Amino acid sequence: MPAVILICGSVQCSGGAGAEPLAQVARERLRQHGVRGEVHVVKCLDLCQHGPHVSVHHVPGNVPESARAPDGGVAYDLVTPDGMARIIDEHVVGARPVTGLLHVDRPDARRGR
């Protein structure tokens, strides 16, 4: 099953322009590594805390339950283009989640679409 990378496209999360550059980096890195994968910009990942957010699915790697997105994927916070490259290189290809970018739940933060 190919890796699935979901990138929050909400203006609230990514500032409007943040999602597409992340998607471009993800697609390019997957291509460079010869890894099958799907990259989708979605409306909202329901995390809305320190975005842009990325959720990674169908990739091995153990993470704490607190780093799981509501959709069950491994969630990453504050993802930049360099961070996206690390997520592909280290997690998707190397099966080692990028611990410094893993989602941390912040109960005081707003959620929304």
Side-chain angles (χ1 to χ4, degrees):
M1 181 173 287
V4 176
I5 302 9
L6 304 177
I7 303 167
C8 185
S10 167
V11 173
Q12 197 175 5
C13 189
S14 67
E20 197 49 47
L22 295 179
Q24 290 173 357
V25 168
R27 289 181 185 114
E28 179 61 21
R29 294 305 264 218
L30 288 169
R31 188 191 62 73
Q32 287 173 355
H33 288 291
V35 172
R36 284 183 37 215
E38 300 174 12
V39 179
H40 303 281
V41 175
V42 298
K43 182 177 177 181
C44 183
L45 290 172
D46 198 28
L47 293 168
C48 302
Q49 307 167 16
H50 301 284
H53 294 284
V54 171
S55 181
V56 176
H57 297 264
H58 311 301
V59 176
N62 294 322
V63 298
E65 194 57 35
S66 61
R68 294 276 174 195
D71 63 9
V74 175
Y76 288 100
D77 292 346
L78 298 168
V79 180
T80 63
D82 287 340
M84 185 79 253
R86 287 187 62 204
I87 291 166
I88 300 299
D89 296 350
E90 297 174 30
H91 188 176
V92 175
V93 175
R96 293 179 319 274
V98 183
T99 55
L101 295 176
L102 286 173
H103 173 70
V104 176
D105 195 34
R106 294 166 181 88
D108 59 324
R110 294 181 328 174
R111 291 180 186 249
R113 297 176 194 275

